[in-house]
Amino acid sequence: MIPAAFEYYRPESLQDALSLLQTHGDDARVMAGGHSLIPMMKLRMAEVPHLIDLQAIADLRGIRVDGDTVSIGAMVTQHEVIESTDLLRAAPILREAALQIADPQVRYMGTIGGNVANGDPGNDMPGIMQCLGAEFSLIGPDGTRTVAARNFFEAAYMTARTDEEILTRITFPAHAGGFAYEKQKRKIGDYATAAAAVLLTKEGGTCATASIAMTNLSDVPVWSEAAAAALDGTACDSGAIAKAMAAMDGDIDPGEDNRGPVAFKRHVAGITLSRAITRAWSRA
Amino acid sequence: MNDLSPDRDDRIANLKGLGCSRKRVEDARFTQGKGNYVDDIKMPGMLHGDFVRSPYAHARVVSINIDAAMALDGVVAVLTAKDLEPLGLHWMPTLAGDKQMVLADGKVLFQGQEVAYVVARDRYVAADAVELVEVDYEELPVIVDPFKALEPGATVLREDLEGQTSGAHGERRHPNHIFLWEEGDKAATEAVLDEAEVVAEETIYYHRTHPCPLETCGCVASMDKVNGKLTLYGTFQAPHVVRTVASLLSGIEEHNIRVVSPDIGGGFGNKVGVYPGYVCSIVASIVTGKPVKWVEDRMENLMATAFARDYWMKGRISATKEGKITGLHCHVTADHGAFDACADPTKFPAGFFHICTGSYDIPVAYVGVDGVYTNKAPGGVAYRCSFRVTEAAYFIERMIEVLAQELNMDAAELRRINFIRKDQFPYHSALGWEYDSGDYHTAWDKALTAVNYDGLRAEQAERVEAFKRGETRKLMGIGLSFFTEIVGAGPVKNCDILGMGMFDSCEIRIHPTGSATARLGTISQGQGHATTFAQILASEIGISADSITIEEGDTDTAPYGLGTYGSRSTPVAGAATALAGRKIRAKAQMIAAYLLEVHDNDVEFDVDRFVVKGAPERFKTMKEIAYAAYNQAIPGLEPGLEAVSYYDPPNMTYPFGAYICVMDLDVDTGQTEIRQVYALDDCGTRINPMVIEGQVHGGLTEAYAIAMGQEIAYDEMGNCKTGTLMDFFLPTAVETPHYTTDFTETPSPHHPIGAKGVGESPNVGGVPMFSNAVHDAFRAFGLRQSHMPHDHWRIWRIAEGLGLHG
Ligand SMILES: Cc1cc2nc3c(=O)[nH]c(=O)nc-3n(C[C@H](O)[C@H](O)[C@H](O)COP(=O)(O)OP(=O)(O)OC[C@H]3O[C@@H](n4cnc5c(N)ncnc54)[C@H](O)[C@@H]3O)c2cc1C
């Protein structure tokens, strides 16, 4: 559990960070809270000869709620997400989800940017961001661009971000209506056996809009349009929920691990989704 | 004329002796981060060791190339079996009469096995050098299933034993067979089973798990080439035995070896054995003349140092139609991994597993245990229990539940009608033990009343109906467990470790100003010895526990003892402490009589003083007596006030307890919630109720972990799947249930203060309690047996198998 030797940098501007990335190419990696990266380095599953710590870059911090638009700096910690009253008003699903990540010690360090840039299917924020329809702002040697969360995740640990790019901000519209993040895990500090993010709005007793995403049930987060469609125009009764569960089941592709076999994961995915829908509906 | 204040009650209170919930004296330093653990030890010029470990579970080691590693700046040495062979140290004896490779000698037999030992300037260089050692392996077929290991023609794992048809414990009937150990009357048991009105049969698996102390294993070896002395600091539960073993292995005379166990961050059996890391560090220190530190990391601890359990227990239990048990038959297939490194008294290769008749009066019984080699890590230690007692308790407490089902009887009632009665003690069990004392019926009734057992059963019946009507997806389980422990190994006549009888010791020095230092052969790893042994002594010698320092763990100063495991400290070293105290008191009595100018028999001990019988105003306090022992010439007495006692217990002690929990269980997700845990312990005389409560809380939490999720699991290739705390379940405060503790007090008749030992009881009794709750929840739907750990997916699988998912 001792990492290989590395050089440590703590640039104070994005520009400096970018030029370090360019100078060292494949040998360099940025670090946010370090709570995914450092364990990988200690296990020697990641070798990072040049480690660029983003802690000192002020531009990457801050939560801004501007009318209907929420913008969160990549270096905002999960703890800050939980504490933010602005976010609680504009996107309460974030707090509900962040409280289910790891434990307070990890959340003091772990950042929202690191959580999505990591590309680990076990991370909770990617599914939440797909559910919210977030946009990720990236800056690289060729300038800035945005990528939709729903197009960002390509495979386990593979994202649309290129190695020279830094994730700067996450932007999404404030959400109204009902919400829920339902996560089953074995213990505090564990990744999801299955988790479901649900946002929905109600009009005249039926579901007007819905968005559903699932965590750790494939090698990428699963935004299930079909599951959401199954709720459209319904009263989210048991029949509609069953249809949403069936549709979601067609979109996920869980693998067997210590959390259990595939059949169990599919079953629990259905249960967590049904509970999330029920809770979201009750709040809508 | 003496002043009679403070009054007697105050003097008793000041003593902080037996029965006082004195705060733990250790905690001031631990809670402030001021403990001194092995990894805190830093010595000038100290080097660091680290292992190259096998990625394969079974492979031939074709070649090892250390050139690149040696070329790295800061690397001092890389040891392989070839370097150790001339010293005869490439293999070492195990505690179980087998031998174990220190470094891979031609092949590796489990994933994580030690292959080469790198010694470097610092921890970081050592880790880098480990990566640079090139080992060429040729994979061999892997056996992880002990039943497959015994099939005809199975791959031979231990080629070094080829042709040896007997081992330390008798005949080996297959190259992968270690021993068959039997106890009881097989023919008589089978005859009873054949004729029985009711027989219940079940295979109970107690899965492989690991003690996982928060502090991993490690040592610092320091050979002083000038004076020829070897000092070894380490996480040892038995420092004196380690000294003897180190002397036998190294040839260094025992007086030239000092073994020190500093503060230890939990042991739970994991730190009893001798590991390759110790041997390699000693050799490296002798070779380099520098201190060498080796501390394993979490993955190494989980994957390579001693595991626990892994017993496949096939049971048959017979009874009359009314539920009176008539016989018990048990065959165990014991997976010992690649080397038989179980830490048991020498003559007991299956430990005290034959306590498996439990708390019940079973007229005839038989146990046979087959030890088997597989491609898994060695170990088989007593994880917070006496030797194999948790396995035994789990077995019988499951069999009782299975029998209750067979008889269609309430499991609490079945226990009650089969308990050994109070008037049967001392009780001779069918498998050869003499239970010292017990009052099981009283404890059981107290427990059932405390939880309102009948009310719980009624609630459970309603829940089942509601479930069947589709109104709830949660079932309710009531977990019952009544256990009898067997602790305090042990009588020297039948218990030894590597030939060293399992006595223990205490040496007391009373200082002139009336305070005392006592040294013991045991070593606390969190049990609070410094607190509780001072209390035993306070009551014996009338000096306040606050004025008594307890020291353990330094073989240069402490008297020889066999160490701390198997709840033996209080039964054995605690007894030695009381008896050494009595020697002090006997001498103090003579001094007091001299000072008071009366005959020895005319003074009597009273709390903290000797008083002249019938004249309470004429007395000498222990403080005065201590001073006199050093400053006056007392005719017929040597100066000073010291005593030592080596205690060989006449028997083990038999703590017992009644545990009950209530669990709600979600059949869809497999999630469980422990609503209530009631734990009644009878550990005989209670020395410190608060320390007992702490021990019970900790033990129950470990039991909860084991029953509900903790395991060491391997895939078919012998890869360990649970090598980190992400997958190896240690409960946090969030998962840990709330506990209610209670007690009865049935002193041991043969222990000087009647104490029995309690630290391990909650693990022994807790595992069956939690597991029985899961089984009980599904009893209405016909579940007989489902193996632990009861994690979410396995509980889901039970429900799926019973058709509860529709
Ligand atoms: C015990 C434990 C339990 C955990 N449980 C959970 C859990 O239940 N759910 C969960 O979601 N997470 C969990 N985590 C992970 C935790 O939330 C991490 O903090 C998070 O995944 C990564 O955030 P970080 O800031 O620590 O990123 P880092 O570890 O610093 O980085 C992670 C990766 O993202 C890259 N990266 C980081 N920031 C940027 C950026 N701005 N631009 C480009 N690339 C970037 C890094 O190069 C690295 O590859 C757990 C961690 C631990 C240690």
Side-chain angles (χ1 to χ4, degrees), chain B residues 474-675:
Chain B
K474 285 191 178 166
L475 294 173
M476 171 180 161
I478 302 167
L480 303 179
S481 163
F482 196 101
F483 66 93
T484 296
E485 256 261 70
I486 168 171
V487 307
V492 169
K493 64 179 185 292
N494 51 20
C495 289
D496 70 271
I497 285 186
L498 293 175
M500 307 309 302
M502 296 179 74
F503 59 84
D504 230 288
S505 58
C506 175
E507 181 203 277
I508 304 169
R509 295 182 184 182
I510 310 292
H511 308 306
T513 51
S515 68
T517 301
R519 301 191 171 97
L520 286 77
T522 45
I523 174 71
S524 179
Q525 309 121 38
Q527 292 89 341
H529 290 177
T531 307
T532 52
F533 286 128
Q535 291 182 250
I536 295 177
L537 209 48
S539 288
E540 293 292 344
I541 65 174
I543 290 175
S544 170
D546 288 343
S547 298
I548 301 172
T549 294
I550 300 291
E551 287 182 7
E552 304 174 298
D554 185 337
T555 59
D556 265 11
T557 55
Y560 204 100
L562 271 279
T564 294
Y565 40 86
S567 280
R568 64 186 299 282
S569 297
T570 296
V572 192
T577 304
L579 294 183
R582 286 173 197 178
K583 290 182 187 173
I584 298 279
R585 205 164 78 191
K587 184 167 178 183
Q589 180 165 3
M590 291 190 260
I591 298 172
Y594 171 81
L595 297 174
L596 292 162
E597 297 177 356
V598 295
H599 190 272
D600 288 356
N601 292 335
D602 291 335
V603 293
E604 62 188 356
F605 186 66
D606 180 47
V607 186
D608 58 352
R609 62 192 58 183
F610 278 95
V611 298
V612 174
K613 285 180 188 164
E617 74 288 355
R618 291 185 61 204
F619 62 82
K620 288 288 169 190
T621 64
M622 283 303 291
K623 217 177 154 82
E624 292 168 314
I625 294 167
Y627 196 64
Y630 291 92
N631 90 330
Q632 294 200 27
I634 302 174
L637 284 184
E638 289 177 6
L641 195 50
E642 297 190 2
V644 56
S645 174
Y646 281 75
Y647 186 74
D648 176 11
N651 188 7
M652 317 268 183
T653 67
Y654 296 74
F656 58 93
Y659 289 2
I660 301 174
C661 76
V662 185
M663 178 186 289
D664 291 307
L665 172 163
D666 184 323
V667 299
D668 287 318
T669 62
Q671 287 168 309
T672 52
E673 207 170 304
I674 311 287
R675 201 200 296 175

Side-chain angles (χ1 to χ4, degrees), chain A residues 227-248:
Chain A
L231 300 181
D232 269 355
T234 74
C236 289
D237 49 72
S238 57
I241 292 176
K243 285 198 182 114
M245 284 161 66
M248 175 278 294

